């Protein structure tokens, strides 16, 4: 089976990261990561959501309004409401899953204190139009780029988050770079950096002694995305509820909640792994882009609509909107290709957000349409071609029925 993703760390990085490290490795990782993405300060967290939570707490905010996309990972609004602040959603575009400048302008209000801009899957936003809308309707709002699925998102003027107040990254399995789980908050302002760092250092529990547990977890993860485990894991995931703890539970779509270890500092092994993986980041993006370009060329020729972009995305995944994602997933699995169905909801429709129900009608449509084709670094061109062939076969079969 062609997996939909590979754990984005190599076995050699993992084994080397398990060697003893000194105390300063976390700060080295924070500095190197901040520098790589154009910020002055970095803070490493156990999850991306923990970083957002700590940012709001560290700023000392309560009951302020934070605007985030309706079509985003559920844990983003969770972190906002659990920090004691108020959520408001901005809808997607009609032709694109990203928030459109119009939808952003409609949702912005003078009391909007923070705007979360999310170039999802590394597809750039219309930055100038979004920033103009913020300047007109909520001047002075704190601008945070959620780059958990959009590391290095860029447009003609360079990195999209350059000049923003902060940027958020996730290192979960399936993100563009992984430390098993983990998140990074990059900050422009020294005072905010110090406030959030102090909050983290005071309120987060120290890292657990890493022992062999994390290494074993890493090895198991690495193996789970390879045959023979891959096919077994795929069947368990879609045929049983045995893996819900690792799949559905991780993304908490049942109610607003954070994981038990959301406020436990990551280990040195994770910092070391992050440092090593950062060194491979750019090459992996180029590999993803090469596969995506091939998909776009072939699918374009076959009349399959692919998402437009004003500058080359970084493609955390290769997204495609289809009429029936579950039928596509099953049909491709039968031909040995694992397809992901990611963010299959709109946040305003989730339990706990009843007050906001219906504020993301376009996001709801994207949530019912999106699949992602395998585009992990190292995937061969014949494997990409097999994926396209299987997709076209499914489309043509569906058209005949
Ligand atoms: C994964 C993700 C997050 C959160 O990251 P965690 O590390 O899982 O907390 C935030 N935003 C988006 C868009 C994501 O995909």
């Amino acid at each position: 089976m062609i997996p939909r993703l590979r754990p984005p760390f190599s076995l050699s990085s993992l084994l080397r990261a398990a060697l003893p490290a000194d105390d300063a490795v976390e700060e080295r990782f924070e500095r190197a990561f901040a520098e790589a993405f154009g910020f002055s300060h970095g803070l490493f967290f156990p999850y991306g959501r923990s970083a957002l939570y700590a940012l709001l707490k560290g700023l000392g905010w309560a009951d302020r309004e934070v605007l985030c996309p309706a079509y985003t990972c559920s844990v983003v609004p969770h972190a906002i409401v659990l920090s004691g602040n108020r959520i408001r959603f901005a809808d997607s575009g009609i032709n694109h899953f990203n928030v459109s400048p119009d939808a952003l302008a409609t949702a912005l209000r003078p009391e909007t204190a923070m705007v979360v801009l999310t170039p999802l899957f590394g597809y750039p936003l219309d930055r100038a139009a979004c920033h103009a809308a913020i300047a007109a309707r909520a001047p002075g709002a704190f601008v945070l780029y959620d780059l958990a699925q959009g590391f290095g998102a860029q447009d003609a003027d360079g990195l999209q988050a350059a000049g923003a107040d902060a940027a958020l990254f996730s290192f979960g399995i399936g993100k563009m770079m992984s430390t098993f789980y983990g998140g990074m908050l990059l900050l422009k302002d020294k005072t905010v950096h110090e406030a959030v760092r102090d909050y983290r250092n005071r309120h987060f529990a120290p890292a657990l002694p890493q022992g062999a547990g994390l290494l074993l977890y890493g090895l198991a993860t690495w193996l789970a995305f390879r045959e023979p485990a891959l096919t077994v894991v795929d069947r368990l995931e879609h045929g049983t509820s045995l893996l819900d703890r690792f799949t559905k539970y991780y993304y908490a779509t049942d109610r607003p909640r954070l994981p038990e270890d959301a406020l436990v500092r990551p280990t040195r092994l994770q910092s070391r792994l992050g440092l090593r993986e950062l060194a491979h980041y750019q090459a992996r993006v180029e590999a993803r882009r090469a596969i995506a370009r091939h998909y776009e060329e072939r699918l374009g020729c076959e009349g399959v609509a692919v998402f437009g972009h004003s500058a080359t995305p970084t493609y955390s995944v290769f997204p495609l909107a289809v009429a029936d994602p579950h039928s596509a997933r099953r049909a491709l699995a039968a031909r040995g290709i694992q397809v992901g169905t990611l963010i299959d909801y709109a946040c305003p429709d989730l339990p706990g957000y009843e007050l906001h129900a219906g504020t993301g009608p376009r996001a709801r449509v994207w949530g019912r349409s999106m699949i992602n084709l395998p585009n992990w670094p190292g995937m061969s061109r014949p494997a990409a071609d097999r994926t396209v062939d299987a997709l076209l076969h499914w489309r043509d079969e569906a058209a005949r029925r």
Side-chain angles (χ1 to χ4, degrees), residues 46-50 71-73 75-76 118 120-121 146-149 168-172 175 181-183 250-251 343:
Y47 296 87
R49 63 199 89 171
S50 315
Y71 190 62
T72 192
C73 188
V75 305
V76 174
T118 309
L120 208 55
F121 316 134
D146 175 358
L147 302 180
Q149 289 269 5
L168 177 74
F169 298 77
S170 167
F171 306 132
K175 302 294 162 112
Y181 34 90
Y250 182 85
Y251 285 116
I343 320 190

Side-chain angles (χ1 to χ4, degrees), residues 34 37-41 55 59 113-119 125 127-128 130-131 134 140-147 153 155 157-169 185-190 192-193:
F37 291 97
F39 277 80
S40 319
H41 309 283
L55 170 63
L59 286 166
M114 181 183 287
V115 184
V116 181
L117 295 177
T118 309
L125 301 167
R127 173 161 45 145
C130 289
H131 284 248
I134 296 169
F142 190 102
V143 176
L144 168 71
Y145 274 79
D146 175 358
L147 302 180
D155 54 38
D157 296 321
L159 289 176
Q160 290 223 292
D165 295 298
L168 177 74
F169 298 77
L185 182 67
L186 299 186
L187 294 159
K188 183 165 79 175
D189 187 82
K190 183 163 171 277
V192 176
H193 169 239

Side-chain angles (χ1 to χ4, degrees), residues 43-105:
L43 291 169
F44 189 30
F45 283 94
Y47 296 87
R49 63 199 89 171
S50 315
L52 176 54
Y53 178 88
L55 170 63
L56 291 161
K57 288 292 198 183
L59 286 166
W61 289 11
D63 205 28
R64 302 244 199 142
E65 185 173 283
V66 179
L67 188 62
C68 94
Y71 190 62
T72 192
C73 188
S74 58
V75 305
V76 174
H78 292 356
I80 294 166
V81 299
L82 294 172
S83 76
N85 289 283
R86 282 182 285 120
I87 189 82
R88 190 169 161 85
F89 292 107
D91 205 0
S92 301
I94 293 183
N95 299 314
H96 207 287
F97 48 82
N98 271 339
V99 167
S100 68
D102 288 351
L104 186 68

Side-chain angles (χ1 to χ4, degrees), residues 242-258:
L242 286 175
L243 295 183
D244 284 1
R245 189 182 170 300
F246 297 101
T247 54
K248 293 201 178 67
Y249 192 76
Y250 182 85
Y251 285 116
T253 47
D254 54 344
R255 67 189 157 86
R257 60 177 168 76
L258 295 175

Side-chain angles (χ1 to χ4, degrees), residues 257-279:
R257 60 177 168 76
L258 295 175
E260 280 151 37
D261 55 356
L263 303 188
V264 180
R265 302 275 296 270
T267 61
R268 286 181 211 168
L269 183 153
Q270 288 169 282
S271 289
R272 256 188 104 140
L273 185 57
L275 265 174
R276 293 194 61 85
E277 291 302 297
L278 182 59

Side-chain angles (χ1 to χ4, degrees), residues 301-362:
C301 287
E302 298 286 350
V304 177
V306 294
F307 287 104
H309 40 75
S310 57
T312 311
T314 53
Y315 300 106
S316 63
V317 301
F318 186 86
L320 203 63
V322 298
D324 184 348
H326 295 288
S327 148
R329 188 192 61 72
R330 282 192 302 270
L332 270 72
R335 301 181 133 234
I337 293 143
Q338 193 182 43
V339 159
T341 48
L342 70 180
I343 320 190
D344 53 359
Y345 51 81
C347 293
D349 296 334
L350 293 175
Y353 298 92
E354 288 75 9
L355 280 174
H356 304 275
T359 58
R362 297 172 188 167

